[in-house]
Amino acid sequence: MKKIAIAFGLAISLTVGMLPASAAILKLPTQKSTSSQSQDIQATQEEQSAATAPESAKKLASGMNYLSTVEEQVIDKINQERKSLGLGELIYDEDLQIAARIRSRELYKSNTFRHKRPNGDSWATVLTEDVPYTFLIAGENLCSTEYNDPNCKNATSPSFWFNQWKNSESHYENMIRPQYNRVGVGIYCIEKGGMTYAYGTTLFAGVSE
């Protein structure tokens, strides 16, 4: 069985607490089910508290369902794109990867796909509470795919994830935002009932050097 794919791309620039400023809709190839979203925020002073990711967060972000090699290759592709535009490369950040993995896992576990946590909180709380993480500005790109086609390799293809975000204006803006200098990617993949389900999250951040 193959599903028609309709992806909703949401680009939001806001100060924490404000409503979304803009949204866009994106249609993706119809042979697989795929969705993507992007969002960026400005941090308030109170949210810029430094800490190391606690063991509870690290535990959620570990396991065989995360595709480490694919995550690394997605970052490589993002940096190649930025370099081609004369932008600085993004530095891999372990805490951002932990947060991105938590987001991808919880989207699958809760069967939701939005810039909110399963409990209704903003996605940004994964940085301000779960990790927490020091940042001046941060952004989130989401993408999901599901299929039962044995010839489909979406989940394990770094080009698939990169191209979904590159080919959407709002996601691409996040990818090449000059203010960002750190990045983490989390891809959670599971096979169940003959279906492959995969969720990808990229978290970007601008931090003080």
Side-chain angles (χ1 to χ4, degrees), residues 29-68:
T30 59
Q31 66 270 27
K32 294 111 187 165
S33 177
T34 307
S35 300
S36 57
Q37 291 191 11
S38 67
Q39 189 173 63
D40 65 88
I41 64 167
Q42 297 278 346
T44 63
Q45 286 292 104
E46 293 77 12
E47 291 167 337
Q48 297 175 42
S49 58
T52 302
E55 289 304 315
S56 58
K58 292 179 181 179
K59 185 175 181 180
L60 288 175
S62 63
M64 298 295 292
N65 293 113
Y66 295 105
L67 306 182
S68 300

Side-chain angles (χ1 to χ4, degrees), residues 144-156:
S144 71
T145 183
E146 62 180 72
Y147 51 88
N148 64 354
D149 181 351
N151 297 314
C152 181
K153 304 297 182 183
N154 281 358
T156 57

